[in-house]
Amino acid sequence: AEHAPGSPIASQVDQCLEPPLDGESIERALDGLPHLPLTPPTMEPAPTESMSPHAIGDADLLEAVLQDTGQLIALAVQAIEQRTKIKGITFTAGGAGGPHATPVRRGLATWGCLEGGPVESLEVWAGWLAKWIALTEMVNSLQEEANRDYLTGTWNRRSFEQYTAAAIIEAHSQRQELTLFVFDIDGFKQFNDRFGHEAGDTILIALVRLLGS
């Protein structure tokens, strides 16, 4: 604490922290986050019945799609309740549901059903929810295709570079060693030239399965 950040030891350590310090400041430093000055604690107002809940908007739903938090349907149902003023709406995954259920479908795909309100009131919202679910599946599919090799299904170079960069940062912050294995397939080019690329693809697929086992 008596050494200022400009002292000779600054080049030998990750961070020099100036007092006053608390546990949160030290944890942030260990995680590589900037130091925050201590501020007196503030009292949060107690929730009251007059405080209205956060209105779920399209931005919230889009964020759930992009972050793939698994909360899209729950947020969407909450948004439907807020906009229709109908309480107790539920989504059941699976088939079309019972006689009072409203199927959530788009084209030939059915993801489940909405219940808890008049069918005629939920039909439009069931179609609205189906579009959000379809968008989520499309985004997830595009992300999967962008990060995996289409032939073998293994992670591609883009994923390797992202994962490796994150792993190096994590290993550095945790003071852990990081091991990277690099290997080659002996004679693979000659095998391709002699038997063709389809045969070479078979070797790659078998190799990925072997490593996965």
Side-chain angles (χ1 to χ4, degrees):
E2 64 248 14
H3 295 287
S7 71
I9 72 166
S11 62
Q12 307 299 322
V13 298
D14 294 333
Q15 290 192 48
C16 288
L17 304 179
E18 294 182 342
L21 296 174
D22 62 355
E24 181 181 0
S25 299
I26 298 175
E27 288 182 2
R28 289 179 62 86
L30 292 175
D31 291 336
L33 300 175
H35 173 57
L36 296 179
L38 293 180
T39 56
T42 58
M43 296 296 294
E44 294 291 338
T48 63
E49 293 183 359
S50 61
M51 296 175 65
S52 60
H54 168 65
I56 304 299
D58 289 348
D60 300 297
L61 300 177
L62 185 59
E63 186 68 20
V65 171
L66 296 177
Q67 296 296 330
D68 192 21
T69 59
Q71 297 298 314
L72 170 71
I73 294 179
L75 288 174
V77 170
Q78 186 177 347
I80 294 173
E81 289 183 335
Q82 291 176 347
R83 299 176 190 184
T84 61
K85 309 300 183 184
I86 301 174
K87 298 298 183 181
I89 297 176
T90 60
F91 172 83
T92 303
H100 301 291
T102 305
V104 177
R105 65 163 64 103
R106 184 171 187 268
L108 299 178
T110 299
W111 291 279
C113 61
L114 290 176
E115 295 181 277
V119 173
E120 60 274 11
S121 300
L122 295 181
E123 284 182 350
V124 173
W125 292 105
W128 174 82
L129 175 57
K131 292 177 182 178
W132 278 106
I133 297 177
L135 176 63
T136 302
E137 292 189 350
M138 182 179 67
V139 170
N140 292 340
S141 177
L142 290 174
Q143 289 178 338
E144 188 78 2
E145 292 178 5
N147 291 311
R148 287 190 181 274
D149 173 57
Y150 78 95
L151 175 66
T152 62
T154 190
W155 300 109
N156 60 18
R157 180 171 179 174
R158 179 186 294 107
S159 299
F160 167 76
E161 291 177 347
Q162 293 175 348
Y163 178 82
T164 303
I168 291 174
I169 294 174
E170 177 70 12
H172 180 268
S173 65
Q174 299 296 327
R175 300 296 192 271
Q176 295 176 345
E177 292 185 351
L178 182 65
T179 302
L180 177 66
F181 289 93
V182 181
F183 62 93
D184 188 22
I185 306 174
D186 292 339
F188 184 68
K189 182 180 184 308
Q190 291 81 359
F191 186 89
N192 263 340
D193 293 342
R194 180 176 180 183
F195 299 104
H197 290 286
E198 289 187 1
D201 289 347
T202 303
I203 296 295
L204 293 176
I205 294 172
L207 177 63
V208 169
R209 289 177 179 173
L210 176 63
L211 293 174
S213 67

